[in-house]
Each structure stands twice: as structure tokens, then as C-alpha cells.
Amino acid sequence: MKKYICILSLAALFTLSCKKGFLDQVPNDRLTLDETFSNRLTAEKFLNNIYSSVPDEFGQRNPGSSNAGLWTGGSDEAEFTWGGVASNAVNIGNWDANSGFVYAYWNNYYRGIRSATFFMANIEKVKNDLSPQLMTQYRAEARALRAMYYFYLVRLYGPVILLGDKVVAPDVPSSEVQLPRSSMDECVAYITTELDAAAKDLPITPANDDSYGRITKGIALAFKAQTLFLAASPLYNGNNDLSSLKNKDGKALVSQSFDVNKWKAAADAYKSFITQFVPGTYDLFKKTDANGNFDPYLSCRDVFLTDWNKEVILARPESSLSARQYEMTPYHRGANSASRGGGALGATQNQVDAFFMQNGKSINDAGSGYVSTGFAATATKYTKAGIYNPWVNREPRFYVNITYNGSTWLNTNDGLITTELYNTGNSGKQTGGNDYSTTGYVVRKAMGLGNWNIDRRPVILYRLANVFMDYAEALNEANPGDPDILKYLNLIRERAGVPLYGSADLPVPAGQTEMSAALRKERRVELAFENVRFFDTRRWKIAETTDNGPVYGLDINKNLPDFLQVVTFESRVFNKRHYLFPIPSNDVNVDENLVQNPGW
């Protein structure tokens, strides 16, 4: 009986502007094993399908599909107005091991893992139609992708089943695999070893404009560092709450002993990455204004709008970008369709308050200059006269990230549009029907400057700013007081246009604890709405505070001035079992060796 391989239909993931990507339209075929690996074309299409499991993390409405995320609306950063969005169920604790997205992530990543292993085992059959160099590179790409998919699994479920090089055909259900979970330390060792091995055979930069989006050496080594970083964090490094997580033979899956050397291993991996790739391959994106002067606002905004700039490490071009931009475009009654959207991805007051003032201080710090009431009599660099004072004199990243009442919309092609988010405003609850913000603010980050209905722009999944923030945090845990901690923290602040720690009126955080708090604040601001906060609060083990209880926004049921009152819009539910996703019930029921996560 012939074994058939299904080559899935996959859109051209990496076709962008002048720097085109490498995937062509893949036909919906069922090919035999011999046919699939009989020539370069079909083998490459099989490899391209493995890439389809790279997560579409900015697609928030249908998590699990294309490994889309629920991480922004599912964190204390934001809330979706639309009731059917899965993150809303997560926020109130209404999900379990039978939820569709729980199964989808598990199944999708394991399918990608098995496909990668299958490809690696069979690519040798194409040797007469593929150069040795390219065959080696393709095998390394598949190997790196396989390790990356394990990282994504571990990030959600904790320690998982390691299949190694065991060849399981992609169409065999994962539930048919009868294996126990490996320990967290074993998973980390496997992922990092595989990424090291793959990196040796991967190019540093794409070979040509058609290759943007392929896995490079930098991507592989960045994921190695991320894996070590996750393993060193409190969720997995001496977490007694996971003491009961054991296989059926009694094998403990998470070590109960804190090990500072795990932080050192992460810091060393990031330092090695920086030494090897910065600034030659990667560098912080900076942009000048019309007069040639450095502009922090344009720099922080356009890093997401400039295709394949040097800050980008990993990006996914084929994504739910249009859907995301529709969510970020307010209703704007009376505007043309290019500037009229749903505005349903609302930023929480919790996140709005996290942004610094223009003098680099938090709003509750002495001397910050924060004014909690009234309206500004005059215009500032980023605001018009008449804007509510709490939104005036904030740092540039505030204006990159947040659409607030009275702000000017980004798309000015058909004139200036002022966004009104109070109840009867042009984007308010009464006006928009189902299309309004629950919080009185709308997320703006990575929003384009024109029509919301576009695609083919790469969506950044990991960038150099992440590396700098990760490195500084790991180093502060491994070697407090190391000068690199302040150096890389201040590099982020310098690009953001806020005063550096150590400058006048802004002392360097004193000691490890104060530095840790400063790093967490900076990280929350710099990486806001980039699908990072959801995982940070979990790996830090603070989600029982940040993601549990009241969450705040403005009073969207009122007009001005009552609209400006801060109110609770939701009481969220988070308990210890929510730190890890449950293993899908079907797999636990079928695999006799597979144990469930605690509390599920």
C-alpha cells in the first residue's frame, strides 16, 4: 500500500514589497512519498508547509488557527469587545482541557515537529536534484523549526513529549503516540542542542530578496537564548507549586531547586548572540525627522512599518494583519472605509498608566509632573490643546501605542480625523453598535498609516529590543551590578527618547531588587502589545495578581466629562492552574503514559 503525503495549500507567506519571500502557492495535492521527494520542487513545497506552523500571533480572534495568539487580549494589557473572542473566556476562567484552542496549539505544533523530522529523514532522496549545500541548509531549517515548535509548546504546556528523531508520518494523530513527558531540563537541553546544531549550517543573512523569512543562524540562536531564559524564570526554576507534576513512574518533571546558573546560562547565550550579530547583522531601528534629526516617536512607530529592517530577527509576513488593523481602527462614523474599523481591541487603564512621563518617570513617582485632572490649555509636541491632562507630556511610546479620546487618526489621506471614544462620540459605544472599545482606549501599535485593509507587511515576532531586555533581566539575576545591565536598559530608553537612568533627577536603580523593578517596568512599556506580557506575568509567577481581580478602563457608557472616570470593566479570574495550559483531554485519555498538568 502506498503511503500518501498531503501537501497543504499555503499562501505565499513571504512575498513582500521589494524584498520578496520564498514561498509560492502550494497546490492541494496528495503525493506519494516517492513523488514528494522525487524532485526539488515538491520537496521544497513540503518544507514550505513546515513553515506554516510559525505562529500568527497578531491574529487574536481565532486562536489555534495558524497558531494565532490570544496573548494581547488575554493579558492585563487589553480587552476585546467582541464576546466570541477566546481571550475573553480565558480572562474569566471559562476554559479547560477540552477548549478548541488548547487542542489546536498542541496538535499544530506537533504536526510541524513531525513534518520537520519526516523531511529531515527523506530529503536525501532529492540529492540528484539538489546541491549538497542547499540540502544541508534545508535540513538545518527543518531542524531549527522543529526545535522552535518545541519551545512554543513548552512555553504553553510546560515539559512535553520529546519525539527526537523518531519518524512519525505527519498524518498520524498525535494521540496515537504512547510516550511519557520528558522533564523540563530534558526539554531545554534537547531544544538548545538542536538549535546549536542547526545554527552551524544556517546562513547569517538571507541569500537574496526572495529568501526573507527563512530561518537564519540568528533566529536559531535567539530561540536558544529564549529557551534558556524561560527555563531560568521563576515558573520553572525552583517552583514548588509544580512539585506534584510527575510522570506515572514518579519522575519529577520540574526541578524544585532554584539554580542561579540557569540565569547565567541564559545571560551567556544572549551575550554571545549580541557579540556575534550586533550591530553587523541586527541593530536597533532609528529614524530621523524631515530635518535629519533623530526622532524617537518615528523610530518606535516605524520599526513595525519598515519591512525587514535591521531590528527584525523573526517576522511572519502572511498573517492576520488586516484583521488586526481593523481591530485597531476606531469606528469613525462618517469616515470612508479606509479609516473606519471596529476599534474593538481596547487598551486597559492598567497598561495606559504603565507608560512613563516625558521626563522618564512613572506617573506615581515624585517629580513626574503627572496631572490627573483637567485639560491642557496649550498644545505640546504630541498633543493638541484641550487634551485631557493625564495624556499630556507622556513619553513618545505612549503616543505610538495608544489611541485616546481627542487624538488624531493616523490615516490622513482624506483629511484629519479626531477620534471620539465617549458614548455618543464618532467611535463610542452608542454610535458603533458592536464596534467600540470596552476600555475607552484603542491599541495603536503596529497600525499602518493608510487603509486598514492590507496584507503582505511582515509582522514582527521577535526583535532586537527583546534580546536587550531579556539579556539585562537575565544578567541582573545572574550577576547583579554588572555594567551591561544598565547599558542595555539605557539603550532601550535612549531610542525611546526618555532620559537615561543615571542622568539628572533619574538615579540608577539601587541594588538587584530595584533594578529588577525598573527592568520589568521598561519591558512592559517597550514590548507592549507584542504578545510578550501574557508570558512575562506567567514566567514571573505574578499573574495571580496582575491577571486576577478588577481591570480598569474609562466609563464608556457616559459622555464627557463623566466618560473620563476610571471604572472597573471586568473582574478577571486567574489561579495557580492557569500558569500552564492543560494537555488536551483527548491526548491524556488515549496516551496511557501522559500525565495532566496540576489542577486540570
Side-chain angles (χ1 to χ4, degrees):
M1 180 178 178
K2 291 184 177 179
K3 182 66 180 179
Y4 287 89
I5 305 301
C6 182
I7 298 184
L8 304 176
S9 178
L10 181 62
L13 286 186
F14 301 92
T15 302
L16 291 169
S17 61
C18 60
K19 290 181 177 178
K20 302 186 295 295
F22 68 93
L23 295 190
D24 296 319
Q25 184 72 28
V26 179
N28 187 11
D29 282 334
R30 290 183 64 84
L31 303 178
T32 65
L33 172 60
D34 289 339
E35 289 171 332
T36 299
F37 293 98
S38 64
N39 61 74
R40 173 176 175 171
L41 179 62
T42 52
E44 286 180 335
K45 287 178 178 178
F46 190 91
L47 174 60
N48 294 346
N49 278 331
I50 300 171
Y51 272 91
S52 68
S53 291
V54 172
D56 181 11
E57 290 195 325
F58 278 75
Q60 299 279 309
R61 288 187 240 165
N62 189 20
S65 174
S66 301
N67 291 327
L70 53 79
W71 324 129
T72 300
S75 74
D76 62 349
E77 293 178 326
E79 171 81 0
F80 271 97
T81 301
W82 301 317
V85 178
S87 58
N88 291 335
V90 170
N91 290 336
I92 61 173
N94 187 24
W95 62 295
D96 57 29
N98 294 306
S99 297
F101 59 86
V102 170
Y103 171 79
Y105 291 125
W106 179 269
N107 186 64
N108 291 346
Y109 284 126
Y110 268 116
R111 184 169 58 233
I113 287 166
R114 295 196 313 250
S115 293
T117 301
F118 197 79
F119 178 87
M120 294 165 63
N122 288 282
I123 186 60
E124 187 72 21
K125 295 181 173 69
V126 199
K127 61 184 178 182
N128 293 330
D129 196 23
L130 203 60
S131 70
Q133 183 275 330
L134 204 53
M135 184 180 297
T136 298
Q137 179 184 324
Y138 284 176
R139 185 181 286 112
E141 289 180 31
R143 191 172 196 173
L145 285 166
R146 182 175 66 176
M148 289 163 59
Y149 297 157
Y150 273 119
F151 165 80
Y152 286 124
L153 281 170
V154 167
R155 189 174 67 163
L156 287 174
Y157 301 95
V160 295
I161 298 169
L162 293 177
L163 299 175
D165 290 325
K166 179 180 175 64
V167 178
V168 181
D171 57 349
V172 173
S174 59
S175 59
E176 293 186 15
V177 178
Q178 296 288 311
L179 292 170
R181 297 168 73 170
S182 297
S183 71
M184 184 65 182
D185 287 343
E186 289 169 340
C187 290
V188 170
Y190 177 80
I191 294 169
T192 55
T193 299
E194 287 294 292
L195 288 168
D196 270 335
K200 294 176 183 178
D201 295 321
L202 289 168
I204 292 176
T205 57
N208 50 55
D209 285 351
D210 292 336
S211 297
Y212 277 80
R214 283 196 180 279
I215 301 300
T216 60
K217 186 185 297 288
I219 293 171
L221 294 179
F223 269 78
K224 172 189 174 181
Q226 284 188 87
T227 303
L228 294 168
F229 184 64
L230 177 64
S233 297
L235 181 61
Y236 295 116
N237 195 358
N239 180 7
N240 293 327
D241 290 336
L242 295 179
S243 61
S244 64
L245 184 53
K246 299 178 180 179
N247 280 339
K248 292 182 178 180
D249 63 0
K251 176 181 178 179
L253 298 182
V254 175
S255 173
Q256 300 304 293
S257 301
F258 170 76
D259 185 357
V260 71
N261 288 317
K262 290 183 177 179
W263 281 116
K264 183 179 185 304
D268 288 347
Y270 283 116
K271 179 64 172 179
S272 176
F273 179 95
I274 292 169
T275 300
Q276 185 171 356
F277 297 111
V278 181
T281 306
Y282 306 111
D283 205 359
L284 289 182
F285 177 85
K286 294 184 178 180
K287 191 168 184 177
T288 58
D289 61 20
N291 297 319
N293 299 315
F294 166 66
D295 190 314
Y297 170 81
L298 292 180
S299 298
C300 293
R301 186 193 73 182
D302 291 1
V303 64
F304 292 93
L305 307 183
T306 306
D307 294 350
W308 304 114
N309 65 77
K310 284 188 71 174
E311 186 161 342
V312 177
I313 297 174
L314 176 65
R316 192 185 201 278
E318 179 65 21
S319 64
S320 302
L321 182 60
S322 288
R324 175 65 166 224
Q325 293 201 146
Y326 181 80
E327 297 156 5
M328 295 192 294
T329 303
Y331 186 72
H332 290 150
R333 177 182 55 192
N336 63 35
S337 60
S339 296
R340 184 169 177 171
L345 181 56
T348 65
Q349 188 70 49
N350 310 53
Q351 181 60 43
V352 167
D353 289 347
F355 290 95
F356 299 103
M357 298 296 291
Q358 66 179 9
N359 61 9
K361 296 185 177 184
S362 297
I363 63 171
N364 56 356
D365 286 351
S368 71
Y370 179 73
V371 179
S372 61
T373 60
F375 300 87
T378 59
T380 69
K381 182 176 181 179
Y382 299 115
T383 59
K384 301 172 289 189
I387 293 298
Y388 191 43
N389 275 326
W391 310 328
V392 177
N393 294 323
R394 303 297 287 270
E395 59 154 314
R397 288 175 296 191
F398 175 86
Y399 304 102
V400 170
N401 280 270
I402 303 296
T403 295
Y404 53 88
N405 188 73
S407 58
T408 301
W409 184 237
L410 291 167
N411 185 0
T412 61
N413 293 331
D414 295 296
L416 299 182
I417 300 173
T418 297
T419 302
E420 300 165 350
L421 294 164
Y422 54 87
N423 188 35
T424 60
N426 62 24
S427 304
K429 181 179 180 181
Q430 182 174 312
T431 304
N434 290 324
D435 293 334
Y436 64 93
S437 166
T438 303
T439 69
Y441 303 94
V442 182
V443 174
R444 178 176 282 214
K445 191 173 203 173
M447 180 69 207
L449 307 182
N451 191 339
W452 62 264
N453 190 17
I454 66 165
D455 54 14
R456 303 301 183 204
R457 196 178 80 222
V459 171
I460 299 174
L461 300 180
Y462 196 69
R463 59 190 178 101
L464 189 61
N466 297 69
V467 168
F468 286 178
M469 294 304 304
D470 292 357
Y471 173 51
E473 180 181 336
L475 194 58
N476 187 54
E477 298 296 330
N479 187 24
D482 190 297
D484 266 4
I485 302 167
L486 182 62
K487 172 185 175 180
Y488 285 95
L489 172 58
N490 274 340
L491 282 174
I492 296 295
R493 292 177 71 85
E494 178 185 40
R495 196 267 298 275
V498 293
L500 310 185
Y501 286 109
S503 59
D505 300 322
L506 202 63
V508 175
Q512 183 184 33
T513 300
E514 284 193 21
M515 180 59 79
S516 178
L519 289 167
R520 290 188 181 191
K521 283 185 178 181
E522 198 71 38
R523 186 178 183 91
R524 185 175 188 182
V525 171
E526 175 65 25
L527 304 177
F529 311 122
E530 294 183 49
N531 306 299
V532 173
R533 176 72 175 173
F534 180 97
F535 297 103
D536 278 349
T537 60
R538 283 151 179 79
R539 66 179 182 82
W540 289 331
K541 282 198 67 187
I542 64 171
E544 289 165 86
T545 300
T546 60
D547 293 38
N548 191 45
V551 188
Y552 302 101
L554 301 178
D555 193 344
I556 61 171
N557 295 299
K558 304 289 180 59
N559 288 320
L560 292 169
D562 295 337
F563 161 76
L564 299 170
Q565 296 299 311
V566 175
V567 297
T568 298
F569 69 82
E570 182 175 62
S571 184
R572 293 186 173 177
V573 175
F574 189 100
N575 54 53
K576 290 187 185 299
R577 75 173 185 170
H578 294 130
Y579 279 109
L580 297 179
F581 269 37
I583 306 299
S585 291
N586 182 63
D587 289 66
V588 173
N589 293 336
V590 172
D591 184 349
E592 296 180 357
N593 297 303
L594 185 59
V595 295
Q596 183 58 277
N597 280 327
W600 293 100

